[in-house]
DNA sequence: CGAACTACGGCAGTTAATTG
DNA sequence: CAATTAACTGCCGTAGTTCG
């Protein structure tokens, strides 16, 4: 898969060059691209043309009814987001800034490629914001290349300072491409980098180990139960735009790109709401109210995120309600060990020894028991007991799976050494 | 006393994955 | 072939302990 992608992108780079040349050959000079007929798209989507002197771009507005659900997420909840919960996902959120939700800006760009260099244009920018208790999207479309400056200025006007950006992989992709376009058009970037929540990274943490990958499409399907029908796949999007620039009638496809972009930004809002419902469930802020089932999540990651925001007690409570998970037992043990609550740590490492099916996890838990008894509780006999326990288990493993013995060679040597030392100490 | 060992936090460097 | 981030890896200094 990875190999295919990278070779495909190499091809894509050459393709873009070819296609740009095609644009220039078929339409004599960029100015004539103004003649491209955008009317069919404008009419189909009920858009408006924004003009400034000779320049013009297309804007398409859309408003969602408050009853709209995206997959199993009710979008209306976006009007009442708790900044305290949001801070668990975005610790950088300024504490001073009281977040009236008008300050959240969901956005996504469509571009002429993935490479991100100076040759990549932004031709569509979709925004979602909450206004007057309504969910409104606004999409800007660069319908001729010579109006790029106007296009960029309209985008910049939406990114008011003090607002919080929400994107998917936007920190590395969208923002940087946009920055490039601003620089190339002599438009100097906004004063300083705004607070930016990139849902790619929160998704990877919250659903770690649960989904096959973390593309927005997969997260939609597995976390939101939202599946797209008739969606334009991303790799086709640059091509559709180039065909449009060449003057071909791609009204149908272009409307598909608008739909694709709008679904992307609505999914951003839905993913954020889903993640917030998981955070709320884990922190049990609404212990007394009915808690709706937020679906699956990784309890260890969530406890990390809670601890990161100083919700230590909530994190412990959460982990203690997931002790069927051996990763949770391991984390609880390490947590109490770091706090020097050795007796508590012992309880969880012991549970881990009993519960785990994983051999290296078993080895780990036994060695932790031995360490705690030897160095903290000064009980050499018990330390020897657990070291012998794991030593015998390793030998048993060697006997039944002689071909796999080398895998645990390091562990073997380590355990042997520990046992020697403990026996000398005991004598 | 001082050498040797153990555990561990901090810190830098590396890797994998996503975006049209 | 880029930028970003979490997670992992390896290295180093420190603290604490045990021996010769």
């Amino acid at each position: 898969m990875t190999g295919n992608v990278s070779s495909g992108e190499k091809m894509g780079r050459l393709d873009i060059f070819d296609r740009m040349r095609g644009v220039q050959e078929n339409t004599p000079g960029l100015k004539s691209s103004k003649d491209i007929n955008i009317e069919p798209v404008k009419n189909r989507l009920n858009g408006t043309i924004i003009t400034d002197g000779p320049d013009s771009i297309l804007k398409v507005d859309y408003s969602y009814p408050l009853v709209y659900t995206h997959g199993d997420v009710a979008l209306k909840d976006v009007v009442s987001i708790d900044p305290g919960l949001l801070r668990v996902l975005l610790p950088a959120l300024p504490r001073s800034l009281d977040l009236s939700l008008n300050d959240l800006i969901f956005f996504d760009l469509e571009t002429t490629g993935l490479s991100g260099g100076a040759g990549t244009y932004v031709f569509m920018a979709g925004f979602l914001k909450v206004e007057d208790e309504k969910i409104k999207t606004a999409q800007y479309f660069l319908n001729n290349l010579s109006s790029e400056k106007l296009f960029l200025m309209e985008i910049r006007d939406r990114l008011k300072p003090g607002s919080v950006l929400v994107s998917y992989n936007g920190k590395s992709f969208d923002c940087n491409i946009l920055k490039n376009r601003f620089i190339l058009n002599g438009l100097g970037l906004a004063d300083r980098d705004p607070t930016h929540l990139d849902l790619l990274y929160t998704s990877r943490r919250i659903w770690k180990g649960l989904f096959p990958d973390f593309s927005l499409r997969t997260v939609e399907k597995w976390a939101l139960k939202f599946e797209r029908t008739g969606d334009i796949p991303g790799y086709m999007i640059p091509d559709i735009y180039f065909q449009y620039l060449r003057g071909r009638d791609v009204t149908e496809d272009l409307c598909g790109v608008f739909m694709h972009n709008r679904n992307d930004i609505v999914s951003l809002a839905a993913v954020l709401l889903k993640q917030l419902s998981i955070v709320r469930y884990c922190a049990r802020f609404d212990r007394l109210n009915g808690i709706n089932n937020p679906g699956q999540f990784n309890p260890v990651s969530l406890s990390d995120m809670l601890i990161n925001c100083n919700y230590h007690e909530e994190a412990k409570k959460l982990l203690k309600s997931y002790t069927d998970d051996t990763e949770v037992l391991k984390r609880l043990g390490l947590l109490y060990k770091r706090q020097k609550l050795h007796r508590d740590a012992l309880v969880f490492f012991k549970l881990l020894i009993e519960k785990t099916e994983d051999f290296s996890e078993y080895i780990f838990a036994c060695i932790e028991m031995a360490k705690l008894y030897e160095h903290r509780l000064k009980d050499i006999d018990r330390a020897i007991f657990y070291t012998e326990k794991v030593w015998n288990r390793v030998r048993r493993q060697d006997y039944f799976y002689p071909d796999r013995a080398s895998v645990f060679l390091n562990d073997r040597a380590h355990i042997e050494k520990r046992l020697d030392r403990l026996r000398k100490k005991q004598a």
Side-chain angles (χ1 to χ4, degrees):
Chain A
M1 179 88 189
T2 356
N4 280 341
V5 167
S6 83
S7 72
E9 281 167 15
K10 254 179 205 163
M11 290 294 291
R13 224 184 154 89
L14 290 173
D15 267 358
I16 284 170
F17 194 72
D18 280 345
R19 285 179 295 195
M20 285 306 286
R21 190 169 46 209
V23 168
Q24 284 174 346
E25 280 165 6
N26 290 358
T27 62
L30 294 177
K31 273 177 195 157
S32 68
S33 66
K34 279 198 179 120
D35 301 334
I36 300 167
N37 192 4
I38 192 64
E39 282 296 315
V41 179
K42 182 202 152 202
N43 292 335
R44 274 275 296 273
L45 301 175
N46 199 19
T48 53
I49 305 286
I50 297 173
T51 57
D52 180 39
D55 298 329
S56 73
I57 60 170
L58 173 65
K59 184 186 179 207
V60 173
D61 290 292
Y62 192 89
S63 191
Y64 282 83
L66 279 176
V67 292
Y68 177 76
T69 58
H70 198 70
D72 66 4
V73 177
L75 222 56
K76 67 168 160 46
D77 293 338
V78 83
V79 302
S80 55
I81 287 177
D82 176 356
L85 295 178
L86 189 62
R87 201 165 278 114
V88 177
L89 301 176
L90 182 66
L93 188 71
R95 201 160 275 279
S96 54
L97 192 106
D98 91 290
L99 192 78
S100 62
L101 250 291
N102 304 341
D103 296 328
L104 274 192
I105 298 175
F106 302 86
F107 83 104
D108 181 57
L109 307 180
E110 309 303 322
T111 72
T112 57
L114 280 180
S115 6
T120 302
Y121 282 83
V122 178
F123 69 87
M124 187 182 290
F127 297 91
L128 181 152
K129 65 181 296 185
V130 181
E131 213 171 48
D132 310 325
E133 302 248 312
K134 280 196 182 115
I135 295 127
K136 292 178 175 173
T137 64
Q139 295 169 288
Y140 297 84
F141 178 69
L142 180 62
N143 61 67
N144 63 83
L145 288 180
S146 57
S147 298
E148 191 183 17
K149 205 161 187 169
L150 172 62
F151 177 69
L152 293 173
M153 275 165 33
E154 287 295 322
I155 292 172
R156 195 176 54 176
D157 285 348
R158 291 197 72 98
L159 307 173
K160 293 267 182 258
S163 53
V164 176
L165 299 182
V166 185
S167 70
Y168 206 83
N169 198 33
K171 280 192 175 176
S172 39
F173 185 73
D174 306 62
C175 276
N176 289 301
I177 286 182
L178 203 52
K179 262 183 204 163
N180 275 338
R181 295 323 302 174
F182 275 105
I183 291 167
L184 260 57
N185 282 272
L187 277 174
L189 359 111
D191 25 19
R192 52 162 178 68
D193 286 350
T195 315
H196 187 165
L197 171 58
D198 192 327
L199 294 173
L200 166 63
Y201 305 109
T202 50
S203 296
R204 283 220 254 252
R205 296 187 72 180
I206 289 174
W207 293 297
K208 182 179 178 177
L210 296 167
F211 301 168
D213 62 76
F214 290 95
S215 68
L216 181 58
R217 229 56 71 224
T218 301
V219 172
E220 282 172 359
K221 189 173 162 186
W222 290 63
L224 311 179
K225 317 293 180 207
F226 178 78
E227 286 209 61
R228 299 192 186 196
T229 49
D231 186 48
I232 307 257
Y235 69 88
M236 290 183 65
I237 288 172
D239 214 58
I240 291 169
Y241 187 61
F242 282 114
Q243 284 190 48
Y244 163 78
L245 286 182
R246 286 180 182 189
R248 300 262 290 278
D249 180 14
V250 285
T251 305
E252 195 70 27
D253 285 339
L254 226 40
C255 290
V257 175
F258 272 91
M259 189 62 192
H260 171 97
N261 178 258
R262 190 150 56 80
N263 270 327
D264 273 355
I265 49 179
V266 173
S267 281
L268 290 185
V271 168
L272 177 61
L273 289 177
K274 177 63 80 171
Q275 295 189 347
L276 287 170
S277 76
I278 290 169
V279 171
R280 187 189 310 124
Y281 178 83
C282 292
R284 304 279 168 90
F285 281 150
D286 50 356
R287 236 173 302 245
L288 303 172
N289 305 334
I291 307 168
N292 46 348
N293 177 16
Q296 52 185 352
F297 59 87
N298 182 317
V300 176
S301 299
L302 261 300
S303 74
D304 278 347
M305 294 166 79
L306 290 174
I307 287 169
N308 207 254
C309 288
N310 288 321
Y311 294 124
H312 288 89
E313 289 315 306
E314 287 83 353
K316 275 184 194 163
K317 247 180 220 168
L318 171 69
L319 288 174
K320 282 179 179 170
S321 61
Y322 282 87
T323 49
D324 286 341
D325 186 337
T326 57
E327 281 294 326
V328 168
L329 291 174
K330 181 174 170 178
R331 180 53 58 100
L332 274 167
L334 290 172
L335 218 59
Y336 281 109
K337 182 173 121 173
R338 199 173 319 153
Q339 294 174 359
K340 307 221 184 294
L341 298 169
H342 308 121
R343 289 285 168 193
D344 296 289
L346 281 178
V347 171
F348 294 109
F349 288 133
K350 192 149 185 250
L351 276 171
L352 183 54
I353 290 172
E354 289 162 13
K355 277 222 171 109
T356 187
E357 309 273 318
D358 182 271
F359 192 49
S360 55
E361 217 166 44
Y362 181 87
I363 294 174
F364 169 82
C366 289
I367 291 176
E368 285 301 320
M369 292 295 279
K371 280 194 219 169
L372 283 168
Y373 275 123
E374 179 185 357
H375 300 292
R376 305 295 171 188
L377 300 167
K378 314 291 175 198
D379 186 337
I380 303 301
D381 288 344
R382 300 249 81 194
I384 288 178
F385 173 82
Y386 281 101
T387 313
E388 278 176 344
K389 189 182 172 82
V390 68
W391 174 240
N392 291 331
R393 178 71 192 272
V394 169
R395 281 180 38 191
R396 205 144 48 82
Q397 185 83 1
D398 285 353
Y399 180 77
F400 287 115
Y401 307 99
D403 48 324
R404 256 196 279 166
S406 61
V407 178
F408 298 104
L409 221 61
N410 268 349
D411 292 310
R412 266 188 76 130
H414 181 219
I415 294 163
E416 206 164 7
K417 214 169 149 188
R418 178 179 303 278
L419 199 52
D420 279 352
R421 183 182 68 246
L422 285 166
R423 284 193 173 136
K424 271 184 199 159
K425 233 182 203 184
Q426 191 185 40

